[in-house]
Amino acid sequence: MSGLFSTLNVGVRGMTAQQGAIDVTSHNIANANTDGYSRQRVTMETTRPSNTSPGQLGTGVQISSISRIRDTYLDYQVRAENGTMGLNEGKENVLSQVETVFNGLSDTGVSTLIDKVYASWQTLSTSPQLSNTRTVVAQQSKALTDQLNSIYKQLKTVKDDCKAVIKQDVVDINSMLSQIDKLNQQIKAVKIGGDEPNDLLDKRDLLEDKLSTKFGITIDKKTYGGEDLKATDGATGDLTLVKSDSTDDVKRFSYVSSITPSKDSTGAVMTDGTYDVTYYKNGDMSSDNNKVTMTMKLSESAYASLDQGRVLVADKDGYAVDKDGARIDGKEFIGGDIIGTVIPAGATGTKNVDGTAYQLFNPTTGELKGYMSVQEDIDTYVNQLNNLAKSIAFSVNAIHSGSSTASDDTATNVLNFFVNSAKPTAAGEAEITAGNITVNSLIVNDPMLIKVGTGNSPGPTDGTRAAAIAKLKDVKLKIQGITPTSTRSDFLSGVSAEGDSSKLLTISSAADGMTISSYFTTIVNGLAIKVQDARQNVTNHTVQLSKLEESRTSISGVSLDEEMANLIQYQHAYAANAKIISTVDELLDLIVNGLKK
């Protein structure tokens, strides 16, 4: 009797094990298209045998574990490639927009407009007596300045778009880190209970894959399935973002929304490099309760880095921390007097810090790095465009006014052709940029004010001044040496012959100079090379990442053909075990009912 009941138990265990295997197989099939899912496999082992004569007798089978199939080395490779891919995609996306903004050498591009402007001056020099030739000069010049204004504005818009992507990345990153931290604790709890949290592990791995596209990460495995997650910071080393042991001693990120010059007690803008830097804790701009303003002094390089980076290392509550990891609370100020009101840590409002106290996140790879670094390229193109605008204004104004220095002296009939739209005076000429350059409104309204000839009373057919301006097309100017503070006299130093409004001032070529057209062509060609390199990098890394993903999928992905084959195998085994139970039932019925006869 005991033998038949033992056989019955073996059949039950067999059915239970095969049922578990069918459940796992059906789970795999159901998640065949689930992003981040790793196929699971049932491991079976024999149960403890019973001791009988002449030896041990097997008691059946049981499921010892349900494990997921995963290659950690491929995970590492995919995440490293994700970071590189994110970096190159970010660069390629932005540089392609910049290339579109410049509009290359098309019919409506700057290069074509520059040629048209000088051509109109040449036509004016040969027909100075015609009023329409003066009108064409004014209109073509205005079209050029409008195009420069437009490009400048669009480049600023592209840069603002980069900042918007960075802001959203900060919010997404902090959210993913919180989810990973929570999953860490859930996984440990399941592991400590002796079970395998396969689906939780998949969720954590998927989040880590997504996070690796934002910046480079390193993962340290800990006991009971826990992980420490760190971000590689190019300036300070690794930043611990998640710890296996739940703790508040981890870092998060906050977003700098604005950097504006501070104002003194009278409301005047301060010019000593003092700025009000406003950031939002954890990048959450949905409430002003998350808003914190720090008043600090920044050098030009520190301002550029903060403007392009925008991501501050913060504590778990989102408050910015210094390089030692301490929360910036305004109680300590390194160098100089404390600016503004000191408030305690944890409070909202104004915080006072030295320009070197905060910790700016500097990822070495990933989407964040791509959008941060490409802003430096945008700033470079803006500066080059500003140099172009200044060189056009300085050179044309010098010949048109007959002076190598800017002047508003109407007594000598000085008239600048190009002006700063925000400050249309001689003092504003040094602040001309591609964003504010325009044709003098007096000339736009009355093209007859354009100076065409020379002498106190130029003749009706005297086009010598217009011809001199037309020749600027082929003059090599020191455009690359222009700085934001350069004046007309700085620009023309060593390449001009002084004159006055009634005489002709000529500009000679500089040995190390460039023509206006060639300078812009150099900008466009350099941009084209950068875009081509970025696109090629994206193509190459797309292929590499695709191969790695294919390798990982071949190991961790669900094969429906394989799962269907397993399902048939488990089905047959289940049916066979059921047959054993049915046979034992018949035998028991024979023994029990047979005794009655």
Side-chain angles (χ1 to χ4, degrees):
M1 294 287 291
S2 60
L4 287 177
F5 281 113
S6 176
T7 304
L8 183 64
N9 287 333
V10 170
V12 171
R13 290 193 184 101
M15 289 183 66
T16 302
Q18 304 308 320
Q19 177 63 60
I22 291 173
D23 288 342
V24 171
T25 301
S26 63
H27 186 56
N28 287 340
I29 294 173
N31 288 279
N33 296 316
T34 300
D35 191 20
Y37 179 79
S38 304
R39 67 187 177 95
Q40 298 178 14
R41 180 174 60 192
V42 170
T43 301
M44 300 183 188
E45 64 179 12
T46 58
T47 54
R48 184 175 181 178
S50 62
N51 292 320
T52 60
S53 179
Q56 291 185 331
L57 185 64
T59 57
V61 66
Q62 65 181 5
I63 295 177
S64 61
S65 67
I66 301 175
S67 57
R68 63 184 192 136
I69 311 302
R70 195 87 180 189
D71 189 322
T72 55
Y73 179 65
L74 279 175
D75 284 340
Y76 167 79
Q77 287 185 305
V78 167
R79 288 165 187 165
E81 193 63 30
N82 276 342
T84 305
M85 188 66 177
L87 169 65
N88 288 296
E89 280 187 330
K91 283 186 174 182
E92 190 271 337
N93 180 38
V94 177
L95 289 175
S96 294
Q97 294 181 52
V98 173
E99 185 180 41
T100 301
V101 167
F102 270 96
N103 205 17
L105 303 174
S106 67
D107 291 340
T108 58
V110 171
S111 183
T112 300
L113 291 175
I114 289 174
D115 290 340
K116 288 182 177 180
V117 167
Y118 289 121
S120 68
W121 280 103
Q122 182 62 41
T123 301
L124 178 59
S125 71
T126 59
S127 305
Q129 72 279 8
L130 301 177
S131 61
N132 65 319
T133 55
R134 296 171 184 257
T135 301
V136 170
V137 168
Q139 291 177 342
Q140 292 289 5
S141 299
K142 190 64 168 61
L144 173 59
T145 59
D146 287 346
Q147 182 74 346
L148 290 173
N149 296 163
S150 176
I151 293 177
Y152 182 92
K153 183 178 180 180
Q154 290 180 71
L155 287 177
K156 292 295 184 181
T157 300
V158 173
K159 186 173 180 180
D160 288 341
D161 291 343
C162 288
K163 294 172 184 176
V165 173
I166 292 174
K167 180 188 74 68
Q168 188 57 50
D169 277 349
V170 168
V171 175
D172 294 342
I173 287 167
N174 286 322
S175 175
M176 285 188 281
L177 291 175
S178 296
Q179 293 178 63
I180 292 173
D181 182 47
K182 185 180 295 184
L183 285 169
N184 235 3
Q185 305 313 311
Q186 293 174 346
I187 289 169
K188 287 182 64 179
V190 174
K191 281 276 192 178
I192 291 173
D195 293 325
E196 288 293 331
N198 293 322
D199 292 334
L200 293 177
L201 290 169
D202 281 343
K203 288 181 180 179
R204 186 177 67 182
D205 282 337
L206 180 60
L207 285 170
E208 289 170 350
D209 285 348
K210 292 180 178 179
L211 194 63
S212 67
T213 65
K214 306 298 183 183
F215 53 79
I217 63 174
T218 57
I219 297 172
D220 295 334
K221 301 290 185 180
K222 301 297 181 180
T223 57
Y224 296 112
E227 291 181 347
D228 286 355
L229 189 149
K230 299 177 182 179
T232 302
D233 188 304
T236 59
D238 289 343
L239 297 173
T240 301
L241 305 177
V242 176
K243 281 190 174 181
S244 175
D245 299 326
S246 184
T247 176
D248 291 334
D249 185 24
V250 292
K251 299 296 186 292
R252 290 293 183 267
F253 302 108
S254 292
Y255 175 74
V256 175
S257 61
S258 65
I259 311 170
T260 56
S262 301
K263 296 182 179 179
D264 59 21
S265 57
T266 65
V269 175
M270 301 175 69
T271 59
D272 62 348
T274 302
Y275 294 88
D276 291 332
V277 177
T278 300
Y279 73 87
Y280 282 81
K281 294 180 289 184
N282 296 322
D284 184 3
M285 299 177 67
S286 61
S287 171
D288 280 346
N289 292 331
N290 298 321
K291 182 179 178 180
V292 180
T293 299
M294 304 184 296
T295 303
M296 62 179 69
K297 287 188 176 182
L298 297 171
S299 63
E300 289 186 9
S301 60
Y303 175 88
S305 296
L306 187 60
D307 180 51
Q308 294 164 5
R310 296 278 170 165
V311 182
L312 296 178
V313 178
D315 59 20
K316 200 169 185 180
D317 295 324
Y319 283 100
V321 297
D322 61 21
K323 290 180 172 58
D324 295 323
R327 179 181 291 183
I328 299 172
D329 61 9
K331 293 182 178 180
E332 295 182 1
F333 185 79
I334 306 172
D337 297 329
I338 292 178
I339 306 171
T341 305
V342 180
I343 62 173
T348 58
T350 302
K351 299 183 183 295
N352 314 283
V353 299
D354 177 73
T356 61
Y358 61 84
Q359 187 175 349
L360 186 65
F361 183 44
N362 181 32
T364 57
T365 187
E367 182 180 290
L368 270 181
K369 179 64 175 178
Y371 281 98
M372 288 175 179
S373 62
V374 80
Q375 288 185 72
E376 183 177 353
D377 293 328
I378 295 176
D379 287 342
T380 298
Y381 294 129
V382 169
N383 289 335
Q384 290 175 333
L385 206 63
N386 290 341
N387 291 350
L388 182 73
K390 271 192 172 183
S391 62
I392 292 173
F394 288 163
S395 58
V396 172
N397 285 352
I399 297 179
H400 191 263
S401 66
S403 174
S404 61
T405 59
S407 173
D408 293 320
D409 188 0
T410 56
T412 57
N413 197 25
V414 171
L415 186 63
N416 293 323
F417 189 88
F418 291 107
V419 295
N420 179 341
S421 60
K423 191 189 294 185
T425 62
E429 187 186 66
E431 299 173 13
I432 282 179
T433 67
N436 59 38
I437 187 174
T438 189
V439 178
N440 194 320
S441 60
L442 297 175
I443 292 176
V444 173
N445 295 330
D446 184 6
M448 296 306 294
L449 292 176
I450 297 176
K451 297 179 182 180
V452 182
T454 58
N456 292 324
S457 300
T461 59
D462 182 6
T464 53
R465 193 183 299 269
I469 294 176
K471 289 179 181 178
L472 286 174
K473 177 182 179 182
D474 300 317
V475 174
K476 295 181 179 179
L477 303 170
K478 295 191 295 185
I479 307 175
Q480 60 271 37
I482 294 178
T483 68
T485 59
S486 292
T487 63
R488 189 195 302 180
S489 58
D490 295 332
F491 176 69
L492 299 177
S493 176
V495 296
S496 66
E498 185 63 50
D500 58 43
S501 59
S502 63
K503 297 179 182 179
L504 183 63
L505 181 148
T506 58
I507 300 176
S508 57
S509 291
D512 56 346
M514 300 177 69
T515 64
I516 298 290
S517 296
S518 63
Y519 182 78
F520 183 76
T521 301
T522 300
I523 296 175
V524 174
N525 289 343
L527 173 60
I529 292 173
K530 277 183 172 290
V531 173
Q532 183 179 4
D533 287 345
R535 287 174 179 165
Q536 187 60 49
N537 285 335
V538 169
T539 300
N540 293 341
H541 287 287
T542 297
V543 174
Q544 182 66 17
L545 183 59
S546 177
K547 290 180 179 179
L548 290 172
E549 289 283 10
E550 185 178 345
S551 297
R552 187 164 69 168
T553 301
S554 68
I555 296 174
S556 301
V558 176
S559 169
L560 292 178
D561 291 339
E562 181 181 348
E563 297 303 326
M564 291 303 296
N566 290 339
L567 186 60
I568 294 173
Q569 177 184 347
Y570 298 140
Q571 177 189 4
H572 285 211
Y574 185 93
N577 280 281
K579 183 62 177 178
I580 291 174
I581 293 175
S582 175
T583 301
V584 171
D585 177 62
E586 291 178 4
L587 293 175
L588 288 173
D589 178 69
L590 176 63
I591 293 174
V592 172
N593 294 325
L595 292 175
K596 293 180 180 180
K597 299 178 181 178

